[in-house]
Coordinates of all heavy atoms in Angstrom, one line a residue:
M139 N -13.7 -8.7 1.9 CA -13.6 -7.4 1.2 C -14.8 -7.3 0.3 O -15.2 -8.2 -0.4 CB -12.3 -7.4 0.3 CG -12.2 -6.1 -0.5 SD -10.6 -6.0 -1.3 CE -11.1 -6.1 -2.9
P140 N -15.6 -6.2 0.4 CA -16.8 -6.1 -0.5 C -16.4 -5.9 -1.9 O -15.3 -5.5 -2.3 CB -17.4 -4.7 0.1 CG -16.3 -4.0 0.7 CD -15.3 -5.0 1.2
D141 N -17.3 -6.4 -2.7 CA -17.1 -6.3 -4.2 C -17.3 -4.9 -4.6 O -18.3 -4.2 -4.3 CB -18.2 -7.2 -4.9 CG -18.0 -7.2 -6.4 OD1 -16.9 -6.9 -6.8 OD2 -18.9 -7.6 -7.1
L142 N -16.3 -4.3 -5.3 CA -16.3 -2.9 -5.6 C -16.9 -2.6 -7.0 O -17.0 -1.5 -7.4 CB -14.8 -2.4 -5.6 CG -14.1 -2.4 -4.3 CD1 -12.7 -2.0 -4.4 CD2 -14.9 -1.6 -3.3
H143 N -17.3 -3.7 -7.7 CA -17.8 -3.5 -9.1 C -19.2 -4.1 -9.2 O -19.5 -5.1 -8.7 CB -16.9 -4.2 -10.1 CG -15.5 -3.7 -10.0 ND1 -15.1 -2.4 -10.4 CD2 -14.3 -4.2 -9.5 CE1 -13.8 -2.2 -10.2 NE2 -13.3 -3.3 -9.6
E144 N -20.0 -3.4 -9.9 CA -21.4 -3.8 -10.2 C -21.3 -5.0 -11.2 O -20.4 -4.9 -12.1 CB -22.2 -2.7 -10.7 CG -22.5 -1.6 -9.7 CD -23.4 -2.1 -8.6 OE1 -24.3 -2.9 -8.8 OE2 -23.2 -1.6 -7.4
P145 N -22.1 -6.0 -11.2 CA -22.0 -7.0 -12.1 C -22.4 -6.6 -13.6 O -21.8 -7.1 -14.5 CB -23.0 -8.1 -11.7 CG -23.8 -7.5 -10.5 CD -23.1 -6.2 -10.1
D146 N -23.2 -5.6 -13.7 CA -23.6 -5.1 -15.0 C -22.6 -4.0 -15.5 O -22.7 -3.6 -16.7 CB -25.0 -4.6 -15.0 CG -25.3 -3.5 -14.0 OD1 -24.5 -3.4 -13.1 OD2 -26.3 -2.8 -14.1
H147 N -21.7 -3.5 -14.7 CA -20.7 -2.6 -15.1 C -19.3 -3.0 -14.7 O -18.7 -2.5 -13.8 CB -21.0 -1.2 -14.5 CG -22.3 -0.6 -14.8 ND1 -22.6 -0.1 -16.1 CD2 -23.4 -0.4 -14.1 CE1 -23.8 0.3 -16.1 NE2 -24.4 0.2 -14.9
P148 N -18.8 -4.0 -15.4 CA -17.4 -4.5 -14.9 C -16.4 -3.5 -15.2 O -16.4 -2.7 -16.1 CB -17.2 -5.8 -15.8 CG -18.1 -5.5 -17.0 CD -19.3 -4.7 -16.5
G149 N -15.5 -3.3 -14.2 CA -14.4 -2.4 -14.3 C -14.8 -1.0 -13.8 O -13.9 -0.1 -13.8
R150 N -16.0 -0.8 -13.4 CA -16.5 0.5 -12.9 C -16.6 0.5 -11.4 O -17.2 -0.5 -10.8 CB -17.8 0.8 -13.6 CG -18.3 2.2 -13.2 CD -19.6 2.5 -13.8 NE -20.5 2.9 -12.8 CZ -21.8 3.2 -13.0 NH1 -22.2 3.2 -14.3 NH2 -22.6 3.6 -12.1
S151 N -16.1 1.5 -10.7 CA -16.1 1.5 -9.3 C -17.5 1.8 -8.8 O -18.3 2.5 -9.5 CB -15.2 2.6 -8.8 OG -15.3 2.8 -7.4
R152 N -17.9 1.2 -7.7 CA -19.2 1.4 -7.1 C -19.3 2.8 -6.6 O -20.4 3.3 -6.3 CB -19.4 0.4 -6.0 CG -20.8 0.4 -5.4 CD -21.0 -0.6 -4.3 NE -21.1 -1.9 -5.0 CZ -21.1 -3.0 -4.3 NH1 -21.0 -3.0 -3.0 NH2 -21.2 -4.2 -4.9
Q153 N -18.2 3.5 -6.4 CA -18.2 4.9 -6.0 C -19.1 5.8 -6.9 O -19.7 6.8 -6.4 CB -16.8 5.5 -5.9 CG -15.9 4.8 -5.0 CD -16.3 5.0 -3.5 OE1 -17.0 5.9 -3.2 NE2 -15.9 4.0 -2.7
F154 N -19.2 5.5 -8.1 CA -20.0 6.3 -9.1 C -21.5 6.1 -8.7 O -22.3 7.0 -9.1 CB -19.8 5.9 -10.5 CG -18.4 6.4 -11.0 CD1 -17.4 5.5 -11.2 CD2 -18.2 7.7 -11.3 CE1 -16.2 5.9 -11.6 CE2 -17.0 8.2 -11.7 CZ -15.9 7.3 -11.9
D155 N -21.9 5.1 -8.1 CA -23.3 4.9 -7.7 C -23.5 5.4 -6.3 O -24.7 5.7 -5.9 CB -23.6 3.4 -7.7 CG -23.5 2.8 -9.1 OD1 -23.7 3.5 -10.1 OD2 -23.2 1.6 -9.2
D156 N -22.5 5.6 -5.4 CA -22.7 6.0 -4.1 C -22.2 7.4 -3.9 O -23.0 8.3 -3.5 CB -21.9 5.1 -3.1 CG -22.4 3.7 -3.1 OD1 -23.6 3.5 -3.5 OD2 -21.6 2.8 -2.8
E157 N -20.9 7.7 -4.0 CA -20.4 9.0 -3.7 C -20.3 10.0 -4.9 O -20.3 11.2 -4.7 CB -19.0 8.8 -3.1 CG -18.9 7.9 -1.9 CD -19.5 8.6 -0.7 OE1 -19.4 9.9 -0.6 OE2 -20.0 7.9 0.2
L158 N -20.1 9.4 -6.1 CA -19.8 10.3 -7.2 C -21.0 10.3 -8.2 O -20.8 10.3 -9.4 CB -18.5 9.8 -7.9 CG -17.3 9.6 -7.0 CD1 -16.2 9.0 -7.8 CD2 -16.9 11.0 -6.5
L159 N -22.2 10.4 -7.7 CA -23.3 10.5 -8.5 C -23.2 11.7 -9.4 O -22.9 12.8 -9.0 CB -24.6 10.6 -7.7 CG -25.1 9.4 -7.0 CD1 -26.2 9.6 -6.1 CD2 -25.4 8.3 -8.0
G160 N -23.5 11.6 -10.7 CA -23.5 12.7 -11.7 C -22.2 12.9 -12.4 O -22.2 13.6 -13.3
L161 N -21.2 12.2 -11.9 CA -19.9 12.4 -12.6 C -19.8 11.3 -13.7 O -20.4 10.2 -13.6 CB -18.7 12.2 -11.7 CG -18.5 13.3 -10.7 CD1 -17.3 13.0 -9.8 CD2 -18.4 14.6 -11.3
D162 N -19.1 11.6 -14.8 CA -18.9 10.7 -15.9 C -18.0 9.6 -15.6 O -16.8 9.8 -15.3 CB -18.4 11.5 -17.1 CG -18.2 10.7 -18.4 OD1 -18.8 9.6 -18.4 OD2 -17.5 11.1 -19.3
P163 N -18.4 8.3 -15.6 CA -17.6 7.2 -15.2 C -16.4 7.0 -16.2 O -15.5 6.3 -15.9 CB -18.5 6.0 -15.2 CG -19.9 6.5 -15.2 CD -19.8 7.9 -15.8
D164 N -16.5 7.6 -17.4 CA -15.5 7.4 -18.4 C -14.4 8.5 -18.3 O -13.4 8.4 -19.0 CB -16.1 7.4 -19.8 CG -17.0 6.3 -20.0 OD1 -16.7 5.2 -19.5 OD2 -18.0 6.4 -20.7
D165 N -14.6 9.5 -17.5 CA -13.6 10.6 -17.3 C -12.4 10.1 -16.5 O -12.6 9.5 -15.4 CB -14.3 11.8 -16.5 CG -13.3 12.9 -16.3 OD1 -12.4 13.0 -17.1 OD2 -13.6 13.7 -15.4
P166 N -11.2 10.2 -17.0 CA -10.0 9.7 -16.3 C -9.8 10.3 -14.9 O -9.4 9.6 -14.0 CB -8.8 10.0 -17.2 CG -9.4 10.3 -18.5 CD -10.8 10.7 -18.3
D167 N -10.1 11.6 -14.8 CA -10.0 12.2 -13.5 C -11.0 11.7 -12.5 O -10.7 11.4 -11.3 CB -10.2 13.7 -13.6 CG -9.0 14.4 -14.3 OD1 -7.9 13.9 -14.2 OD2 -9.3 15.5 -14.9
A168 N -12.2 11.4 -12.9 CA -13.2 10.8 -12.0 C -12.9 9.4 -11.7 O -13.1 9.0 -10.5 CB -14.6 10.9 -12.7
Q169 N -12.3 8.7 -12.6 CA -11.9 7.3 -12.3 C -10.7 7.3 -11.3 O -10.7 6.4 -10.4 CB -11.4 6.6 -13.6 CG -12.5 6.3 -14.6 CD -12.0 5.7 -15.9 OE1 -10.8 5.7 -16.1 NE2 -12.9 5.3 -16.7
A170 N -9.8 8.2 -11.5 CA -8.7 8.3 -10.5 C -9.2 8.6 -9.1 O -8.7 8.1 -8.1 CB -7.7 9.3 -11.0
F171 N -10.2 9.6 -9.0 CA -10.7 9.9 -7.7 C -11.5 8.7 -7.1 O -11.5 8.5 -5.9 CB -11.6 11.2 -7.9 CG -12.1 11.7 -6.5 CD1 -11.2 12.1 -5.6 CD2 -13.4 11.7 -6.2 CE1 -11.6 12.6 -4.4 CE2 -13.9 12.2 -5.0 CZ -12.9 12.7 -4.1
A172 N -12.2 8.0 -8.0 CA -12.9 6.8 -7.5 C -12.0 5.8 -6.9 O -12.2 5.1 -5.9 CB -13.8 6.2 -8.6
E173 N -10.8 5.6 -7.6 CA -9.8 4.6 -7.1 C -9.3 5.1 -5.8 O -9.0 4.3 -4.9 CB -8.7 4.5 -8.1 CG -9.1 3.8 -9.4 CD -8.0 3.8 -10.4 OE1 -6.8 4.2 -10.1 OE2 -8.2 3.3 -11.5
H174 N -9.1 6.4 -5.7 CA -8.6 7.0 -4.4 C -9.6 6.7 -3.3 O -9.2 6.3 -2.2 CB -8.4 8.5 -4.6 CG -8.1 9.2 -3.3 ND1 -6.9 9.1 -2.6 CD2 -8.9 10.1 -2.6 CE1 -7.0 9.8 -1.5 NE2 -8.2 10.4 -1.5
L175 N -10.9 6.9 -3.6 CA -11.9 6.7 -2.6 C -12.0 5.2 -2.2 O -12.2 4.9 -1.0 CB -13.3 7.2 -3.1 CG -13.5 8.7 -3.1 CD1 -14.9 9.0 -3.7 CD2 -13.3 9.3 -1.7
D176 N -11.8 4.3 -3.2 CA -11.8 2.9 -2.9 C -10.7 2.5 -2.0 O -10.8 1.7 -1.0 CB -11.6 2.1 -4.2 CG -12.9 2.1 -5.1 OD1 -14.0 2.4 -4.5 OD2 -12.8 1.8 -6.3
R177 N -9.5 3.1 -2.2 CA -8.3 2.8 -1.3 C -8.6 3.4 0.1 O -8.2 2.8 1.1 CB -7.0 3.5 -1.9 CG -6.5 2.7 -3.1 CD -5.1 3.2 -3.4 NE -5.0 4.6 -3.7 CZ -5.2 5.2 -4.9 NH1 -5.5 4.4 -6.0 NH2 -5.1 6.5 -5.1
M178 N -9.2 4.6 0.2 CA -9.4 5.2 1.5 C -10.4 4.4 2.3 O -10.3 4.4 3.5 CB -9.8 6.7 1.3 CG -8.8 7.5 0.7 SD -7.2 7.6 1.6 CE -7.7 8.4 3.1
Q179 N -11.4 3.9 1.6 CA -12.5 3.2 2.4 C -12.2 1.7 2.5 O -13.1 1.0 3.1 CB -13.8 3.4 1.6 CG -14.2 4.8 1.6 CD -15.5 5.1 0.8 OE1 -15.9 4.2 0.1 NE2 -15.9 6.3 0.8
H180 N -11.1 1.2 2.0 CA -10.8 -0.2 2.2 C -10.5 -0.6 3.6 O -9.6 0.0 4.2 CB -9.6 -0.6 1.2 CG -9.2 -2.0 1.3 ND1 -9.9 -3.0 0.8 CD2 -8.1 -2.6 1.9 CE1 -9.3 -4.2 1.1 NE2 -8.2 -3.9 1.7
Q181 N -11.1 -1.6 4.1 CA -10.9 -2.1 5.5 C -10.0 -3.3 5.4 O -10.3 -4.3 4.7 CB -12.2 -2.4 6.2 CG -13.1 -1.3 6.3 CD -12.6 -0.2 7.3 OE1 -12.0 -0.6 8.3 NE2 -12.8 1.0 7.0
R182 N -8.9 -3.3 6.1 CA -8.0 -4.5 6.1 C -8.0 -5.1 7.5 O -8.2 -4.4 8.5 CB -6.6 -4.1 5.6 CG -5.9 -3.2 6.5 CD -4.5 -3.0 6.0 NE -3.9 -1.8 6.5 CZ -3.9 -0.6 5.8 NH1 -4.3 -0.6 4.6 NH2 -3.4 0.4 6.3
P183 N -7.7 -6.3 7.6 CA -7.6 -7.0 9.0 C -6.5 -6.3 9.8 O -5.4 -6.2 9.3 CB -7.4 -8.4 8.7 CG -6.8 -8.5 7.3 CD -7.4 -7.3 6.6
A184 N -6.8 -6.0 11.0 CA -5.8 -5.4 11.8 C -5.1 -6.4 12.7 O -5.7 -7.4 13.0 CB -6.4 -4.3 12.7
F185 N -3.9 -6.2 13.1 CA -3.1 -7.1 14.0 C -3.0 -8.5 13.5 O -3.0 -9.4 14.2 CB -3.8 -7.0 15.4 CG -3.9 -5.6 15.9 CD1 -5.2 -5.1 16.1 CD2 -2.8 -4.9 16.2 CE1 -5.3 -3.8 16.6 CE2 -3.0 -3.6 16.7 CZ -4.2 -3.1 16.9
T186 N -2.9 -8.6 12.2 CA -2.6 -9.9 11.6 C -1.4 -9.8 10.6 O -1.1 -8.7 10.2 CB -3.8 -10.5 10.8 OG1 -4.1 -9.6 9.7 CG2 -5.0 -10.7 11.7
V187 N -0.8 -10.9 10.3 CA 0.3 -10.8 9.3 C -0.2 -10.3 8.0 O 0.4 -9.5 7.3 CB 0.9 -12.3 9.1 CG1 1.9 -12.3 8.0 CG2 1.5 -12.7 10.4
E188 N -1.4 -10.8 7.6 CA -2.0 -10.3 6.3 C -2.2 -8.8 6.3 O -2.0 -8.1 5.3 CB -3.3 -11.0 6.0 CG -3.2 -12.5 5.7 CD -3.2 -13.3 7.0 OE1 -3.4 -12.8 8.1 OE2 -2.9 -14.5 6.8
G189 N -2.7 -8.3 7.5 CA -2.9 -6.8 7.6 C -1.6 -6.0 7.5 O -1.5 -5.0 6.8
Y190 N -0.5 -6.5 8.1 CA 0.7 -5.9 8.1 C 1.3 -5.9 6.6 O 1.9 -4.9 6.1 CB 1.7 -6.5 9.0 CG 1.4 -6.2 10.5 CD1 1.2 -7.2 11.4 CD2 1.2 -4.9 10.9 CE1 0.9 -6.9 12.7 CE2 0.8 -4.6 12.2 CZ 0.7 -5.6 13.1 OH 0.4 -5.3 14.4
L191 N 1.2 -7.1 6.0 CA 1.7 -7.2 4.6 C 0.9 -6.3 3.7 O 1.5 -5.7 2.7 CB 1.7 -8.6 4.2 CG 2.7 -9.6 4.8 CD1 2.5 -11.0 4.4 CD2 4.1 -9.1 4.6
E192 N -0.3 -6.2 3.9 CA -1.1 -5.3 3.1 C -0.7 -3.8 3.3 O -0.7 -3.0 2.4 CB -2.6 -5.5 3.3 CG -3.5 -4.8 2.3 CD -4.9 -5.3 2.4 OE1 -5.2 -6.5 2.8 OE2 -5.8 -4.5 2.1
G193 N -0.4 -3.5 4.5 CA 0.1 -2.2 4.8 C 1.4 -1.9 4.0 O 1.7 -0.8 3.5
V194 N 2.3 -2.9 4.0 CA 3.6 -2.7 3.2 C 3.3 -2.6 1.7 O 3.9 -1.8 1.0 CB 4.5 -4.0 3.5 CG1 5.7 -3.9 2.5 CG2 5.0 -4.0 4.9
R195 N 2.3 -3.4 1.2 CA 1.9 -3.2 -0.2 C 1.3 -1.8 -0.5 O 1.7 -1.2 -1.5 CB 0.9 -4.3 -0.5 CG 0.6 -4.3 -2.0 CD -0.6 -5.1 -2.4 NE -1.8 -4.3 -1.9 CZ -3.0 -4.9 -1.7 NH1 -3.2 -6.1 -1.8 NH2 -4.0 -4.1 -1.3
D196 N 0.5 -1.3 0.5 CA 0.0 0.0 0.3 C 1.1 1.1 0.2 O 1.0 2.0 -0.6 CB -1.0 0.4 1.4 CG -2.3 -0.4 1.3 OD1 -2.6 -1.0 0.3 OD2 -3.0 -0.5 2.3
F197 N 2.1 0.9 1.1 CA 3.2 1.8 1.1 C 4.0 1.8 -0.2 O 4.3 2.8 -0.8 CB 4.2 1.5 2.3 CG 5.4 2.3 2.3 CD1 5.4 3.6 2.7 CD2 6.6 1.8 1.8 CE1 6.6 4.4 2.7 CE2 7.8 2.5 1.8 CZ 7.7 3.9 2.2
A198 N 4.2 0.5 -0.7 CA 4.9 0.4 -2.0 C 4.2 1.0 -3.1 O 4.7 1.7 -4.0 CB 5.2 -1.1 -2.2
E199 N 2.9 0.8 -3.2 CA 2.0 1.3 -4.2 C 2.0 2.9 -4.2 O 2.1 3.5 -5.2 CB 0.6 0.8 -4.2 CG 0.5 -0.7 -4.6 CD -0.9 -1.2 -4.5 OE1 -1.8 -0.5 -3.9 OE2 -1.1 -2.4 -4.9
S200 N 1.9 3.4 -3.0 CA 1.9 4.9 -2.9 C 3.3 5.5 -3.2 O 3.4 6.5 -3.8 CB 1.4 5.3 -1.5 OG 2.4 4.9 -0.5
A201 N 4.3 4.7 -2.9 CA 5.7 5.2 -3.2 C 5.9 5.2 -4.7 O 6.5 6.1 -5.3 CB 6.7 4.4 -2.5
N202 N 5.3 4.2 -5.4 CA 5.4 4.1 -6.8 C 4.6 5.2 -7.5 O 5.0 5.7 -8.6 CB 4.9 2.8 -7.4 CG 6.0 1.7 -7.1 OD1 7.1 2.0 -6.9 ND2 5.5 0.5 -7.0
R203 N 3.5 5.7 -6.9 CA 2.7 6.7 -7.5 C 3.3 8.1 -7.2 O 3.0 9.1 -7.9 CB 1.3 6.7 -6.9 CG 0.4 5.6 -7.5 CD -1.0 5.8 -7.0 NE -1.2 6.0 -5.6 CZ -1.4 5.0 -4.7 NH1 -1.4 3.8 -5.2 NH2 -1.6 5.3 -3.5
A204 N 4.2 8.2 -6.2 CA 4.7 9.5 -5.7 C 5.7 10.0 -6.8 O 6.3 9.2 -7.5 CB 5.4 9.4 -4.4
K205 N 5.9 11.3 -6.8 CA 6.9 12.0 -7.7 C 7.7 12.9 -6.8 O 7.4 13.4 -5.8 CB 6.1 12.8 -8.7 CG 5.1 12.0 -9.5 CD 5.6 11.8 -10.9 CE 4.6 11.3 -11.9 NZ 4.4 9.9 -11.8
G206 N 8.9 13.2 -7.3 CA 9.8 14.2 -6.7 C 10.3 13.8 -5.3 O 10.8 12.8 -5.0
G207 N 10.1 14.8 -4.4 CA 10.6 14.7 -3.1 C 9.9 13.6 -2.3 O 10.6 12.9 -1.4
R208 N 8.7 13.3 -2.5 CA 8.0 12.3 -1.7 C 8.5 10.9 -2.1 O 8.7 10.0 -1.3 CB 6.5 12.3 -2.0 CG 5.8 13.5 -1.3 CD 4.3 13.5 -1.6 NE 3.7 14.6 -1.1 CZ 2.7 14.6 -0.3 NH1 2.2 13.5 0.1 NH2 2.2 15.8 0.2
R209 N 8.8 10.8 -3.4 CA 9.4 9.5 -3.9 C 10.8 9.3 -3.2 O 11.1 8.2 -2.8 CB 9.5 9.4 -5.4 CG 10.0 8.1 -5.9 CD 9.9 8.0 -7.4 NE 10.4 6.7 -7.9 CZ 9.6 5.6 -8.0 NH1 8.3 5.7 -7.8 NH2 10.1 4.5 -8.5
W210 N 11.6 10.3 -3.2 CA 12.9 10.2 -2.6 C 12.9 10.0 -1.1 O 13.7 9.3 -0.6 CB 13.8 11.4 -2.9 CG 14.2 11.4 -4.4 CD1 13.8 12.2 -5.4 CD2 15.2 10.5 -5.0 NE1 14.5 11.9 -6.5 CE2 15.3 10.8 -6.3 CE3 15.9 9.4 -4.5 CZ2 16.1 10.1 -7.2 CZ3 16.7 8.7 -5.4 CH2 16.8 9.1 -6.7
A211 N 11.9 10.5 -0.5 CA 11.7 10.3 1.0 C 11.3 8.8 1.2 O 11.8 8.2 2.1 CB 10.6 11.2 1.5
A212 N 10.5 8.2 0.4 CA 10.1 6.8 0.5 C 11.3 5.9 0.2 O 11.5 4.9 0.9 CB 9.0 6.5 -0.5
V213 N 12.1 6.3 -0.8 CA 13.3 5.5 -1.0 C 14.3 5.6 0.1 O 14.9 4.6 0.5 CB 14.0 6.0 -2.3 CG1 15.4 5.5 -2.5 CG2 13.1 5.7 -3.6
A214 N 14.4 6.8 0.8 CA 15.3 6.9 1.9 C 14.8 6.1 3.1 O 15.6 5.5 3.8 CB 15.4 8.4 2.3
V215 N 13.5 6.1 3.3 CA 12.9 5.3 4.4 C 13.2 3.8 4.2 O 13.7 3.1 5.1 CB 11.4 5.5 4.5 CG1 10.7 4.4 5.4 CG2 11.1 6.9 5.1
V216 N 13.0 3.3 3.0 CA 13.3 1.9 2.7 C 14.8 1.6 2.8 O 15.2 0.6 3.4 CB 12.8 1.5 1.3 CG1 13.3 0.2 0.8 CG2 11.3 1.6 1.2
A217 N 15.7 2.5 2.3 CA 17.1 2.3 2.5 C 17.5 2.3 3.9 O 18.4 1.4 4.3 CB 17.9 3.4 1.7
L218 N 17.0 3.2 4.8 CA 17.3 3.1 6.2 C 16.9 1.9 6.9 O 17.6 1.3 7.7 CB 16.8 4.4 6.9 CG 17.5 5.7 6.6 CD1 16.7 6.9 7.2 CD2 18.9 5.7 7.1
L219 N 15.7 1.4 6.5 CA 15.2 0.1 7.1 C 16.1 -1.0 6.7 O 16.5 -1.9 7.5 CB 13.8 -0.1 6.6 CG 12.7 0.7 7.3 CD1 11.4 0.5 6.6 CD2 12.6 0.4 8.7
L220 N 16.5 -1.1 5.4 CA 17.4 -2.2 4.9 C 18.8 -2.1 5.6 O 19.4 -3.1 6.0 CB 17.5 -2.2 3.4 CG 16.3 -2.6 2.7 CD1 16.5 -2.4 1.2 CD2 15.9 -4.0 3.0
L221 N 19.3 -0.9 5.8 CA 20.5 -0.7 6.4 C 20.5 -1.1 7.9 O 21.4 -1.8 8.4 CB 20.9 0.8 6.4 CG 22.3 1.2 6.9 CD1 23.4 0.5 6.1 CD2 22.5 2.7 7.0
G222 N 19.4 -0.8 8.6 CA 19.2 -1.3 9.9 C 19.1 -2.8 10.0 O 19.7 -3.4 10.9
V223 N 18.4 -3.4 9.1 CA 18.3 -4.9 9.1 C 19.7 -5.5 8.9 O 20.1 -6.5 9.5 CB 17.3 -5.4 8.1 CG1 17.4 -6.9 7.8 CG2 15.9 -5.0 8.5
A224 N 20.4 -4.9 7.9 CA 21.8 -5.5 7.6 C 22.7 -5.3 8.8 O 23.4 -6.3 9.1 CB 22.4 -4.7 6.4
W225 N 22.6 -4.2 9.6 CA 23.4 -4.0 10.8 C 23.0 -5.1 11.8 O 23.9 -5.6 12.5 CB 23.2 -2.6 11.3 CG 24.1 -2.3 12.5 CD1 25.4 -2.1 12.5 CD2 23.6 -2.3 13.8 NE1 25.8 -1.9 13.9 CE2 24.7 -2.1 14.7 CE3 22.3 -2.5 14.4 CZ2 24.6 -2.0 16.0 CZ3 22.2 -2.4 15.8 CH2 23.4 -2.1 16.6
V226 N 21.8 -5.3 12.0 CA 21.3 -6.2 13.1 C 21.8 -7.7 12.7 O 22.3 -8.4 13.6 CB 19.8 -6.2 13.3 CG1 19.3 -7.4 14.1 CG2 19.4 -4.9 13.9
V227 N 21.7 -8.0 11.4 CA 22.1 -9.4 11.0 C 23.6 -9.5 11.2 O 24.1 -10.5 11.7 CB 21.7 -9.6 9.6 CG1 22.4 -10.9 9.0 CG2 20.2 -9.8 9.5
W228 N 24.4 -8.5 10.8 CA 25.8 -8.5 11.0 C 26.2 -8.7 12.5 O 27.1 -9.5 12.8 CB 26.4 -7.3 10.4 CG 27.9 -7.2 10.6 CD1 28.6 -6.4 11.5 CD2 28.9 -8.0 10.0 NE1 29.9 -6.7 11.5 CE2 30.2 -7.6 10.6 CE3 28.9 -9.0 9.0 CZ2 31.4 -8.2 10.2 CZ3 30.1 -9.5 8.6 CH2 31.3 -9.1 9.2
E229 N 25.6 -7.9 13.3 CA 25.9 -8.0 14.8 C 25.5 -9.3 15.3 O 26.2 -9.9 16.2 CB 25.1 -6.9 15.5 CG 25.6 -5.5 15.3 CD 27.0 -5.3 15.8 OE1 27.3 -5.8 16.9 OE2 27.8 -4.7 15.1
A230 N 24.4 -9.9 14.9 CA 24.0 -11.3 15.3 C 25.1 -12.3 14.9 O 25.4 -13.2 15.6 CB 22.6 -11.6 14.8
L231 N 25.5 -12.2 13.6 CA 26.5 -13.1 13.1 C 27.8 -13.0 13.9 O 28.5 -14.0 14.3 CB 26.8 -12.9 11.6 CG 25.7 -13.4 10.7 CD1 26.0 -13.0 9.3 CD2 25.6 -14.9 10.8
V232 N 28.3 -11.8 14.2 CA 29.5 -11.6 14.9 C 29.3 -12.1 16.4 O 30.2 -12.8 16.9 CB 29.9 -10.1 15.0 CG1 30.9 -9.8 16.0 CG2 30.3 -9.6 13.6
F233 N 28.2 -11.9 17.0 CA 28.0 -12.4 18.3 C 28.0 -13.9 18.4 O 28.6 -14.5 19.2 CB 26.6 -11.9 18.8 CG 26.2 -12.5 20.2 CD1 26.8 -12.0 21.3 CD2 25.3 -13.5 20.3 CE1 26.4 -12.5 22.6 CE2 25.0 -14.0 21.5 CZ 25.5 -13.5 22.6
M234 N 27.4 -14.6 17.4 CA 27.4 -16.0 17.3 C 28.8 -16.6 17.1 O 29.2 -17.6 17.7 CB 26.5 -16.5 16.2 CG 25.0 -16.4 16.6 SD 23.8 -17.2 15.5 CE 24.4 -16.8 13.9
L235 N 29.6 -15.9 16.2 CA 30.9 -16.4 15.9 C 31.8 -16.2 17.2 O 32.6 -17.1 17.5 CB 31.5 -15.7 14.7 CG 30.9 -16.0 13.4 CD1 31.5 -15.2 12.3 CD2 31.2 -17.5 13.1
V236 N 31.7 -15.1 17.9 CA 32.5 -14.9 19.0 C 32.1 -15.8 20.2 O 33.0 -16.3 20.9 CB 32.4 -13.4 19.5 CG1 33.0 -13.2 20.8 CG2 33.1 -12.5 18.4
T237 N 30.8 -16.0 20.3 CA 30.4 -16.9 21.4 C 30.7 -18.3 21.2 O 31.1 -19.0 22.2 CB 28.8 -16.7 21.6 OG1 28.6 -15.3 21.8 CG2 28.3 -17.5 22.8
F238 N 30.5 -18.8 20.0 CA 30.5 -20.3 19.8 C 31.9 -20.8 19.2 O 32.1 -22.0 19.1 CB 29.4 -20.8 19.0 CG 28.0 -20.5 19.6 CD1 27.2 -19.6 19.0 CD2 27.7 -21.2 20.8 CE1 25.9 -19.4 19.6 CE2 26.4 -20.9 21.4 CZ 25.6 -20.0 20.8
L239 N 32.7 -19.9 18.9 CA 34.0 -20.3 18.3 C 35.2 -20.0 19.2 O 35.5 -19.5 20.1 CB 34.3 -19.7 16.9 CG 33.4 -20.3 15.8 CD1 33.7 -19.6 14.5 CD2 33.5 -21.8 15.7

């Protein structure tokens, strides 16, 4: 992963030197937009466990930032996934008990 901060400006996104020239680095809106650009331009390893886990982390972070209907939609997706996993585990346990006992 490339270093996103200049050594002489710790805590400041490199986006202010590349994409956001002329914007005030101390402005909270500009900082939020720089963080957004950093997330959008981040390259993660594809087709690896680390890449998939990072995708889950990105989903969780975006769900935490969401408000209103989007947040409830993310909660519903997670609840449906957990319900599906619980059903599959239950069915596997019942199959094993019926087969081996």
Side-chain angles (χ1 to χ4, degrees):
M139 181 171 109
D141 185 19
L142 298 176
H143 303 290
E144 294 292 327
D146 55 343
H147 300 291
R150 184 178 126 178
S151 174
R152 188 177 286 172
Q153 297 294 336
F154 287 105
D155 298 331
D156 297 335
E157 301 287 331
L158 304 176
L159 286 172
L161 292 180
D162 182 16
D164 297 324
D165 181 24
D167 290 333
Q169 290 174 354
F171 188 60
E173 290 173 9
H174 169 73
L175 288 177
D176 288 339
R177 285 191 303 270
M178 295 303 294
Q179 294 174 354
H180 177 70
Q181 298 292 324
R182 65 177 157 260
F185 306 113
T186 62
V187 172
E188 292 85 7
Y190 291 126
L191 290 177
E192 193 167 327
V194 171
R195 187 192 73 201
D196 291 343
F197 174 77
E199 287 177 355
S200 66
N202 286 334
R203 284 191 308 270
K205 303 250 190 282
R208 288 181 186 233
R209 183 172 182 91
W210 285 111
V213 168
V215 166
V216 170
L218 287 173
L219 287 171
L220 290 175
L221 185 64
V223 168
W225 181 76
V226 167
V227 169
W228 175 256
E229 289 293 320
L231 286 173
V232 168
F233 177 76
M234 288 189 318
L235 288 174
V236 168
T237 302
F238 297 115
L239 290 180

